[in-house]
Amino acid sequence: MTISSSLLLQNPHLPFQIQKHPPLLHHIYPQPPPSITLSPLPPSPLLRIRTKNLLPSATLSSFSDDNEAAAETKANAKEEEKLNEMAKAFHISSRTTSAVTVCIAVAALTLPLFMRSLTTAGLSVKTRALGYLTLLSGFYMAWNIGANDVANAMGTSVGSGALTLRQAVVTAAVLEFSGAFLMGRHVTSTMQKGILVAGVFQGKDMLLFAGLLSSLAASGTWLQVASFYGWPVSTTHCIVGAMVGFGLVYGGIGAVFWSSLGRVMASWVISPVMGAAVSFLVYKCIRRYVYSAPNPGKAAATAAPFGVLLGVTGISFAAFPLSMALPIALLQALACGIAGAFVVSRVIHKQLGHLLISESERLERKEAPDLQNMSFLSDIAGPKGAQLEIVYGVFGYMQILSACFMSFRAWRQRCFERDRALAAALSILQGGTTGAEIVIPTDVLAWGGFGIVAGLMMWGYRVIATIGKKITELTPTRGFAAEFAAASVVLGASKLGLPISATHTLVGAVMGVGFARGLNSVRAETVREIVASWAVTIPVGAILSVLYTLILTKVLAFLV
């Protein structure tokens, strides 16, 4: 019995709340939670009355001690209030967060002045000023993508304890810049196959420029509002709604590709349903074939390399620029999968090998459970002790990999519409045609990556808290099931051309692992708030875009 348990048995009225956590490996997680965490609750008047007789009688010295303790508590409380939310999330001082914020703001305002889009010879002062405003709007949009959309991919890993918030930010930073340079569309069609019909705005370049710039600002505004409340919303839906609003008001019904809008609206239902269904099946498979195995730790360690083989092979084939010949591309993807499986197997056996060996020797003579009378949907009790440590350790590694795949694969989907609008606006300023293909400079892609990382670091913890804590309770196995299911659905739907939203898919996947444990395991209030934010995303984006376009056109008319 632990000290905290004996304390509670002797004094059952103490104002503490017990939260049980499964034991985790100290070498897997940087700061593993203790077996029992005590968090103070505000004592009620009834509690004060009931505990009054349990306390020793006061003396003069005790009054003095109490006064000193009260003064120290008040000082600590004031110091805690000085820390802003970002400081609390990263466990750093408020002075450090202020310095980081100032550095990001200075970089955001000065770096565009040295970018190719503004330093090209022959540009007028007005063009440079409008280009600077365009790049700032792109940064604002990227900042909010990081604060909301990127936080989705890392939310389950942080919520389950597989990654700390700092590790998640560093990992996302590497992935976002890698996605910008490896998967970014350096050549993009600025308008064709998008939301707006370029021909409708022929000869109205400044109006179209104002609309595109307003769409970026409107999308960023709604993303910022959603991030403030911790609502995970779709970046694609934001900017699509903004462009539709601008197109309808300033170009008429014929200015919008309605088929594209229909596909986006269909993803409201398709994405979360598919994510929930796949994650439900994945988590049930883990419970059926890992938890119920005679040696759950060994079963998890055996299944992990095969899962990595399938995942890395599929991601490599679908996402990376491989050979144009199909057989060679398949071989290259398979080689990547084999390499990933080998590395993961080595890491697991290096970190958990001693536990695997000791547990295998201990369970050699244990009778295997009878699985014939156990259905796929049966409620199976999970492993305990060292077996639970091994299972959580294995799936902790697996969850980090699946989160990386999800973040890296969804980069193109998150940033495609933003890059399309930004490229179109820059093309108009430089005298290009709105329907032609242009090359997006590398510095613009890096600029967007910087904005995404800055947003994730400064506000991402809000959405991470919603995904990782408020929908359902997550563990490494549940987090892996959600991440793996979401990545698989996004990858498969993209290859099949189905309308899909990475954000909606991941939220649905988190709900799916909750449903696998019972309907009461999913917090209905949080789900209602998220669904409501999804429903108003497109209308709010459209309204904001129209208002911003009205203001910007008047400003441009005054300046020109």
Side-chain angles (χ1 to χ4, degrees), residues 185-188 419-420 422-423 438-445:
R185 289 180 63 92
H186 295 266
V187 178
T188 180
D419 288 342
R420 188 198 301 273
L422 184 61
I438 65 170
V439 177
I440 301 179
T442 304
D443 57 352
V444 174
L445 293 172

Side-chain angles (χ1 to χ4, degrees), residues 205-402:
D205 289 346
M206 292 311 296
L207 174 61
L208 182 57
F209 170 78
L212 294 173
L213 206 61
S214 298
S215 297
L216 290 172
S219 303
T221 301
W222 174 240
L223 280 175
Q224 187 171 12
V225 172
S227 300
F228 178 80
Y229 290 102
W231 300 331
V233 297
S234 172
T235 298
T236 302
H237 291 186
C238 287
I239 199 163
V240 165
M243 287 188 174
V244 166
F246 162 73
L248 280 176
V249 173
Y250 293 93
I253 297 178
V256 178
F257 283 112
W258 294 104
S259 59
S260 298
L261 179 61
R263 291 168 61 85
V264 169
M265 296 181 67
S267 69
W268 285 352
V269 179
I270 296 175
S271 300
V273 170
M274 291 181 65
V278 176
S279 67
F280 181 92
L281 294 175
V282 171
Y283 186 61
K284 282 296 184 181
C285 285
I286 293 174
R287 297 188 68 88
R288 176 66 172 79
Y289 298 107
V290 175
Y291 280 11
S292 62
N295 190 336
K298 183 179 179 180
T302 303
F306 290 100
V308 173
L309 174 64
L310 294 176
V312 174
T313 301
I315 292 288
S316 300
F317 179 74
F320 291 104
L322 303 176
S323 175
M324 296 299 294
L326 181 60
I328 298 178
L330 288 174
L331 289 176
Q332 290 174 334
L334 184 61
C336 293
I338 294 174
F342 176 77
V343 171
V344 169
S345 178
R346 293 281 295 178
V347 170
I348 289 174
H349 284 85
K350 181 179 179 180
Q351 298 290 344
L352 308 176
H354 61 289
L355 284 175
L356 288 170
I357 295 174
S358 62
E359 284 298 300
S360 296
E361 294 174 352
R362 187 178 68 84
L363 298 175
E364 267 183 349
R365 300 179 180 178
K366 184 179 179 181
E367 184 179 352
D370 183 14
L371 302 180
Q372 294 181 355
N373 298 325
M374 190 180 298
S375 67
F376 182 77
L377 299 178
S378 298
D379 188 12
I380 302 171
K384 299 179 180 179
Q387 287 291 327
L388 184 63
E389 291 187 18
I390 297 173
V391 172
Y392 277 7
V394 171
F395 281 99
Y397 286 121
M398 297 285 287
Q399 187 186 3
I400 294 173
L401 290 176
S402 60

